[in-house]
Amino acid sequence: MLHSTYKCNAGCPVEGTMEVIGGKWKGVILYHLLEKTYRFGELKKIMPGITQHTLTKQLRELEAYDIVNRKVYAEVPPKVEYSLTERGKSLEKIILMMRDWGAANLSLAK
Amino acid sequence: MLHSTYKCNAGCPVEGTMEVIGGKWKGVILYHLLEKTYRFGELKKIMPGITQHTLTKQLRELEAYDIVNRKVYAEVPPKVEYSLTERGKSLEKIILMMRDWGAANLSLAK
DNA sequence: CCGTATCCTGCATGATACTG
DNA sequence: CAGTATCATGCAGGATACGG
């Protein structure tokens, strides 16, 4: 979700943040990682709709922005854990507010 | 930005909010409307990168979510003003936090 | 001035299969 | 288990032209 061809104006920081957390699944990923560290397979399990390919990509992008930390254990079978970096944790309020707003304003329940 | 085929889980409200404000320009639009009411042409002017087509579409989507209000003046030449609804204003904190986070964490300056 | 109508394109996301 | 490699696709967003 990179919009490199941006005519910058006063609203830019807002859009910049959108680019970081604006992927289709990034909000959910961050929301889960807020709670605890997760292994790759666990994330896949709690987000049944996402494919392996896409999950990997979104995690890599979050990693590139220094939002999530990727810890690889040199074991067999492999084990990879994802957690929030300090910068990632600084998004907590935003994520939680988005959750609350969504819960209050959208009829996602059923 | 509708993802109708969603496997819902705990993170859903977050994603729901993302769908509402997650368009490429919606963040900026909302950020500007936070400040004051704008006419269509004014919005276009302060967001030089967006096309008329896309601006119209994003505004219509925000309108559909009851985030912005569209007021048409029966004049010649036509005059259309966009403002935030109450629901739109309730997003203010989120938008401002996104702005602050972006300003603090991204090197968009210059 | 504020749109809508067409047409087009890139890229985010997905499906599927294979590997260290 | 946690990925890459390929290939496919839908749709958000853009270019352009026209209309009330």
mmCIF file of all heavy atoms in Angstrom, chain A residues 39 41 52-53 60 70 78 82, chain D residues 1-7 13:
data_model
loop_
_atom_site.group_PDB
_atom_site.id
_atom_site.type_symbol
_atom_site.label_atom_id
_atom_site.label_comp_id
_atom_site.label_asym_id
_atom_site.label_seq_id
_atom_site.Cartn_x
_atom_site.Cartn_y
_atom_site.Cartn_z
ATOM 1 N N ARG A 39 2.976 -16.996 17.098
ATOM 2 C CA ARG A 39 3.743 -17.698 16.082
ATOM 3 C C ARG A 39 3.019 -17.553 14.748
ATOM 4 O O ARG A 39 1.820 -17.287 14.711
ATOM 5 C CB ARG A 39 3.874 -19.180 16.433
ATOM 6 C CG ARG A 39 4.678 -19.412 17.689
ATOM 7 C CD ARG A 39 4.847 -20.876 17.970
ATOM 8 N NE ARG A 39 5.439 -21.580 16.827
ATOM 9 C CZ ARG A 39 5.796 -22.855 16.869
ATOM 10 N NH1 ARG A 39 5.647 -23.560 17.979
ATOM 11 N NH2 ARG A 39 6.300 -23.437 15.795
ATOM 12 N N GLY A 41 2.021 -19.701 12.554
ATOM 13 C CA GLY A 41 0.885 -20.603 12.398
ATOM 14 C C GLY A 41 -0.309 -20.205 13.244
ATOM 15 O O GLY A 41 -1.458 -20.402 12.837
ATOM 16 N N GLN A 52 -1.446 -17.872 3.372
ATOM 17 C CA GLN A 52 -0.076 -17.877 3.847
ATOM 18 C C GLN A 52 0.737 -16.791 3.149
ATOM 19 O O GLN A 52 1.475 -16.037 3.773
ATOM 20 C CB GLN A 52 0.536 -19.245 3.533
ATOM 21 C CG GLN A 52 1.434 -19.785 4.592
ATOM 22 C CD GLN A 52 1.721 -21.258 4.358
ATOM 23 O OE1 GLN A 52 1.589 -21.758 3.246
ATOM 24 N NE2 GLN A 52 2.124 -21.941 5.407
ATOM 25 N N HIS A 53 0.571 -16.747 1.851
ATOM 26 C CA HIS A 53 1.276 -15.789 1.029
ATOM 27 C C HIS A 53 1.046 -14.367 1.513
ATOM 28 O O HIS A 53 1.994 -13.605 1.724
ATOM 29 C CB HIS A 53 0.782 -15.925 -0.415
ATOM 30 C CG HIS A 53 1.446 -15.022 -1.376
ATOM 31 N ND1 HIS A 53 2.575 -15.391 -2.073
ATOM 32 C CD2 HIS A 53 1.153 -13.771 -1.768
ATOM 33 C CE1 HIS A 53 2.943 -14.403 -2.842
ATOM 34 N NE2 HIS A 53 2.096 -13.409 -2.691
ATOM 35 N N ARG A 60 5.885 -8.895 6.625
ATOM 36 C CA ARG A 60 7.146 -8.335 6.137
ATOM 37 C C ARG A 60 7.066 -6.814 6.021
ATOM 38 O O ARG A 60 8.006 -6.098 6.342
ATOM 39 C CB ARG A 60 7.502 -8.931 4.777
ATOM 40 C CG ARG A 60 7.942 -10.339 4.783
ATOM 41 C CD ARG A 60 9.333 -10.515 5.368
ATOM 42 N NE ARG A 60 9.763 -11.907 5.248
ATOM 43 C CZ ARG A 60 9.343 -12.886 6.013
ATOM 44 N NH1 ARG A 60 8.471 -12.638 6.988
ATOM 45 N NH2 ARG A 60 9.782 -14.109 5.841
ATOM 46 N N ARG A 70 10.432 -9.843 14.286
ATOM 47 C CA ARG A 70 10.393 -11.233 13.827
ATOM 48 C C ARG A 70 11.546 -11.988 14.469
ATOM 49 O O ARG A 70 12.706 -11.663 14.257
ATOM 50 C CB ARG A 70 10.516 -11.263 12.300
ATOM 51 C CG ARG A 70 10.457 -12.633 11.686
ATOM 52 C CD ARG A 70 10.282 -12.510 10.180
ATOM 53 N NE ARG A 70 10.301 -13.805 9.523
ATOM 54 C CZ ARG A 70 11.397 -14.356 9.021
ATOM 55 N NH1 ARG A 70 12.540 -13.720 9.079
ATOM 56 N NH2 ARG A 70 11.345 -15.543 8.449
ATOM 57 N N PRO A 78 11.019 -25.501 12.408
ATOM 58 C CA PRO A 78 11.213 -24.059 12.588
ATOM 59 C C PRO A 78 10.148 -23.431 13.477
ATOM 60 O O PRO A 78 9.039 -23.942 13.577
ATOM 61 C CB PRO A 78 11.106 -23.500 11.169
ATOM 62 C CG PRO A 78 11.259 -24.641 10.271
ATOM 63 C CD PRO A 78 10.829 -25.854 11.003
ATOM 64 N N TYR A 82 6.225 -13.547 16.252
ATOM 65 C CA TYR A 82 6.035 -12.150 15.898
ATOM 66 C C TYR A 82 5.536 -11.379 17.110
ATOM 67 O O TYR A 82 4.621 -11.823 17.801
ATOM 68 C CB TYR A 82 5.034 -12.027 14.759
ATOM 69 C CG TYR A 82 5.570 -12.533 13.445
ATOM 70 C CD1 TYR A 82 5.370 -13.853 13.051
ATOM 71 C CD2 TYR A 82 6.303 -11.700 12.606
ATOM 72 C CE1 TYR A 82 5.878 -14.325 11.847
ATOM 73 C CE2 TYR A 82 6.809 -12.169 11.407
ATOM 74 C CZ TYR A 82 6.594 -13.478 11.031
ATOM 75 O OH TYR A 82 7.100 -13.929 9.847
ATOM 76 P P DC D 1 2.954 -28.041 12.010
ATOM 77 O OP1 DC D 1 2.247 -27.742 13.234
ATOM 78 O OP2 DC D 1 2.283 -27.901 10.725
ATOM 79 O "O5'" DC D 1 4.297 -27.165 11.955
ATOM 80 C "C5'" DC D 1 4.880 -26.648 13.111
ATOM 81 C "C4'" DC D 1 5.846 -25.602 12.636
ATOM 82 O "O4'" DC D 1 6.546 -26.109 11.471
ATOM 83 C "C3'" DC D 1 5.171 -24.300 12.214
ATOM 84 O "O3'" DC D 1 5.947 -23.247 12.785
ATOM 85 C "C2'" DC D 1 5.221 -24.312 10.676
ATOM 86 C "C1'" DC D 1 6.458 -25.177 10.390
ATOM 87 N N1 DC D 1 6.369 -25.982 9.147
ATOM 88 C C2 DC D 1 7.441 -25.925 8.240
ATOM 89 O O2 DC D 1 8.410 -25.206 8.484
ATOM 90 N N3 DC D 1 7.397 -26.674 7.107
ATOM 91 C C4 DC D 1 6.337 -27.466 6.875
ATOM 92 N N4 DC D 1 6.332 -28.192 5.747
ATOM 93 C C5 DC D 1 5.235 -27.541 7.805
ATOM 94 C C6 DC D 1 5.299 -26.792 8.904
ATOM 95 P P DA D 2 5.414 -21.735 12.785
ATOM 96 O OP1 DA D 2 5.990 -21.041 13.953
ATOM 97 O OP2 DA D 2 3.963 -21.747 12.585
ATOM 98 O "O5'" DA D 2 6.135 -21.146 11.497
ATOM 99 C "C5'" DA D 2 7.546 -21.187 11.432
ATOM 100 C "C4'" DA D 2 7.995 -20.870 10.029
ATOM 101 O "O4'" DA D 2 7.649 -21.957 9.146
ATOM 102 C "C3'" DA D 2 7.344 -19.608 9.425
ATOM 103 O "O3'" DA D 2 8.340 -18.782 8.853
ATOM 104 C "C2'" DA D 2 6.402 -20.176 8.373
ATOM 105 C "C1'" DA D 2 7.171 -21.408 7.943
ATOM 106 N N9 DA D 2 6.377 -22.405 7.229
ATOM 107 C C8 DA D 2 5.085 -22.785 7.458
ATOM 108 N N7 DA D 2 4.630 -23.708 6.637
ATOM 109 C C5 DA D 2 5.713 -23.952 5.799
ATOM 110 C C6 DA D 2 5.879 -24.831 4.705
ATOM 111 N N6 DA D 2 4.924 -25.641 4.253
ATOM 112 N N1 DA D 2 7.085 -24.826 4.093
ATOM 113 C C2 DA D 2 8.049 -24.011 4.551
ATOM 114 N N3 DA D 2 8.001 -23.135 5.574
ATOM 115 C C4 DA D 2 6.791 -23.165 6.161
ATOM 116 P P DG D 3 8.005 -17.239 8.536
ATOM 117 O OP1 DG D 3 9.239 -16.580 8.044
ATOM 118 O OP2 DG D 3 7.294 -16.696 9.684
ATOM 119 O "O5'" DG D 3 6.961 -17.314 7.308
ATOM 120 C "C5'" DG D 3 7.407 -16.884 6.040
ATOM 121 C "C4'" DG D 3 8.253 -17.950 5.393
ATOM 122 O "O4'" DG D 3 7.573 -19.210 5.484
ATOM 123 C "C3'" DG D 3 8.464 -17.720 3.929
ATOM 124 O "O3'" DG D 3 9.600 -16.869 3.778
ATOM 125 C "C2'" DG D 3 8.707 -19.113 3.367
ATOM 126 C "C1'" DG D 3 7.995 -20.016 4.375
ATOM 127 N N9 DG D 3 6.779 -20.675 3.877
ATOM 128 C C8 DG D 3 5.526 -20.612 4.423
ATOM 129 N N7 DG D 3 4.640 -21.354 3.803
ATOM 130 C C5 DG D 3 5.354 -21.941 2.779
ATOM 131 C C6 DG D 3 4.931 -22.857 1.776
ATOM 132 O O6 DG D 3 3.797 -23.330 1.600
ATOM 133 N N1 DG D 3 5.966 -23.204 0.918
ATOM 134 C C2 DG D 3 7.255 -22.734 1.028
ATOM 135 N N2 DG D 3 8.123 -23.165 0.113
ATOM 136 N N3 DG D 3 7.670 -21.887 1.968
ATOM 137 C C4 DG D 3 6.673 -21.537 2.807
ATOM 138 P P DT D 4 9.751 -16.074 2.526
ATOM 139 O OP1 DT D 4 10.411 -14.813 2.858
ATOM 140 O OP2 DT D 4 8.455 -16.096 1.797
ATOM 141 O "O5'" DT D 4 10.805 -16.980 1.700
ATOM 142 C "C5'" DT D 4 11.171 -16.579 0.400
ATOM 143 C "C4'" DT D 4 10.879 -17.722 -0.556
ATOM 144 O "O4'" DT D 4 9.756 -18.495 -0.113
ATOM 145 C "C3'" DT D 4 10.514 -17.236 -1.959
ATOM 146 O "O3'" DT D 4 11.488 -17.663 -2.861
ATOM 147 C "C2'" DT D 4 9.129 -17.807 -2.218
ATOM 148 C "C1'" DT D 4 9.041 -18.954 -1.232
ATOM 149 N N1 DT D 4 7.657 -19.262 -0.832
ATOM 150 C C2 DT D 4 6.948 -20.215 -1.523
ATOM 151 O O2 DT D 4 7.387 -20.830 -2.478
ATOM 152 N N3 DT D 4 5.672 -20.433 -1.063
ATOM 153 C C4 DT D 4 5.051 -19.818 0.007
ATOM 154 O O4 DT D 4 3.904 -20.103 0.329
ATOM 155 C C5 DT D 4 5.851 -18.815 0.689
ATOM 156 C C7 DT D 4 5.278 -18.100 1.846
ATOM 157 C C6 DT D 4 7.094 -18.576 0.249
ATOM 158 P P DA D 5 11.637 -16.923 -4.228
ATOM 159 O OP1 DA D 5 13.087 -16.650 -4.400
ATOM 160 O OP2 DA D 5 10.683 -15.798 -4.248
ATOM 161 O "O5'" DA D 5 11.199 -17.988 -5.319
ATOM 162 C "C5'" DA D 5 10.676 -19.275 -4.953
ATOM 163 C "C4'" DA D 5 9.873 -19.814 -6.124
ATOM 164 O "O4'" DA D 5 8.542 -20.173 -5.677
ATOM 165 C "C3'" DA D 5 9.675 -18.814 -7.263
ATOM 166 O "O3'" DA D 5 9.631 -19.519 -8.495
ATOM 167 C "C2'" DA D 5 8.320 -18.204 -6.931
ATOM 168 C "C1'" DA D 5 7.570 -19.394 -6.344
ATOM 169 N N9 DA D 5 6.546 -19.034 -5.364
ATOM 170 C C8 DA D 5 6.671 -18.117 -4.346
ATOM 171 N N7 DA D 5 5.596 -17.998 -3.605
ATOM 172 C C5 DA D 5 4.699 -18.891 -4.161
ATOM 173 C C6 DA D 5 3.369 -19.234 -3.837
ATOM 174 N N6 DA D 5 2.711 -18.696 -2.820
ATOM 175 N N1 DA D 5 2.742 -20.158 -4.614
ATOM 176 C C2 DA D 5 3.425 -20.693 -5.638
ATOM 177 N N3 DA D 5 4.679 -20.452 -6.042
ATOM 178 C C4 DA D 5 5.265 -19.529 -5.251
ATOM 179 P P DT D 6 9.912 -18.721 -9.875
ATOM 180 O OP1 DT D 6 10.970 -19.414 -10.604
ATOM 181 O OP2 DT D 6 10.033 -17.277 -9.565
ATOM 182 O "O5'" DT D 6 8.517 -18.924 -10.621
ATOM 183 C "C5'" DT D 6 7.364 -19.038 -9.772
ATOM 184 C "C4'" DT D 6 6.222 -19.609 -10.555
ATOM 185 O "O4'" DT D 6 5.140 -19.758 -9.633
ATOM 186 C "C3'" DT D 6 5.717 -18.692 -11.667
ATOM 187 O "O3'" DT D 6 5.198 -19.472 -12.729
ATOM 188 C "C2'" DT D 6 4.660 -17.867 -10.974
ATOM 189 C "C1'" DT D 6 4.090 -18.838 -9.936
ATOM 190 N N1 DT D 6 3.700 -18.162 -8.672
ATOM 191 C C2 DT D 6 2.497 -18.489 -8.089
ATOM 192 O O2 DT D 6 1.738 -19.309 -8.566
ATOM 193 N N3 DT D 6 2.213 -17.810 -6.936
ATOM 194 C C4 DT D 6 3.008 -16.859 -6.304
ATOM 195 O O4 DT D 6 2.642 -16.325 -5.279
ATOM 196 C C5 DT D 6 4.247 -16.575 -6.961
ATOM 197 C C7 DT D 6 5.170 -15.564 -6.367
ATOM 198 C C6 DT D 6 4.537 -17.228 -8.098
ATOM 199 P P DC D 7 4.823 -18.758 -14.132
ATOM 200 O OP1 DC D 7 5.096 -19.728 -15.206
ATOM 201 O OP2 DC D 7 5.435 -17.406 -14.168
ATOM 202 O "O5'" DC D 7 3.246 -18.594 -13.989
ATOM 203 C "C5'" DC D 7 2.454 -19.716 -13.568
ATOM 204 C "C4'" DC D 7 1.064 -19.231 -13.170
ATOM 205 O "O4'" DC D 7 1.101 -18.642 -11.858
ATOM 206 C "C3'" DC D 7 0.490 -18.173 -14.119
ATOM 207 O "O3'" DC D 7 -0.737 -18.655 -14.658
ATOM 208 C "C2'" DC D 7 0.315 -16.929 -13.240
ATOM 209 C "C1'" DC D 7 0.238 -17.531 -11.836
ATOM 210 N N1 DC D 7 0.678 -16.615 -10.755
ATOM 211 C C2 DC D 7 -0.108 -16.485 -9.607
ATOM 212 O O2 DC D 7 -1.154 -17.136 -9.524
ATOM 213 N N3 DC D 7 0.297 -15.649 -8.621
ATOM 214 C C4 DC D 7 1.434 -14.960 -8.755
ATOM 215 N N4 DC D 7 1.802 -14.153 -7.757
ATOM 216 C C5 DC D 7 2.255 -15.083 -9.909
ATOM 217 C C6 DC D 7 1.841 -15.911 -10.884
ATOM 218 P P DG D 13 -9.021 3.781 -3.286
ATOM 219 O OP1 DG D 13 -8.036 3.996 -2.207
ATOM 220 O OP2 DG D 13 -10.419 4.207 -3.106
ATOM 221 O "O5'" DG D 13 -8.460 4.451 -4.605
ATOM 222 C "C5'" DG D 13 -7.131 4.148 -5.005
ATOM 223 C "C4'" DG D 13 -6.923 4.554 -6.442
ATOM 224 O "O4'" DG D 13 -7.771 3.781 -7.316
ATOM 225 C "C3'" DG D 13 -7.243 6.017 -6.748
ATOM 226 O "O3'" DG D 13 -6.014 6.668 -7.042
ATOM 227 C "C2'" DG D 13 -8.173 5.967 -7.962
ATOM 228 C "C1'" DG D 13 -8.011 4.544 -8.457
ATOM 229 N N9 DG D 13 -9.188 3.998 -9.127
ATOM 230 C C8 DG D 13 -10.442 3.841 -8.614
ATOM 231 N N7 DG D 13 -11.292 3.301 -9.454
ATOM 232 C C5 DG D 13 -10.531 3.095 -10.596
ATOM 233 C C6 DG D 13 -10.894 2.543 -11.852
ATOM 234 O O6 DG D 13 -11.992 2.114 -12.200
ATOM 235 N N1 DG D 13 -9.816 2.518 -12.731
ATOM 236 C C2 DG D 13 -8.553 2.968 -12.455
ATOM 237 N N2 DG D 13 -7.638 2.875 -13.419
ATOM 238 N N3 DG D 13 -8.200 3.486 -11.282
ATOM 239 C C4 DG D 13 -9.238 3.518 -10.411
#
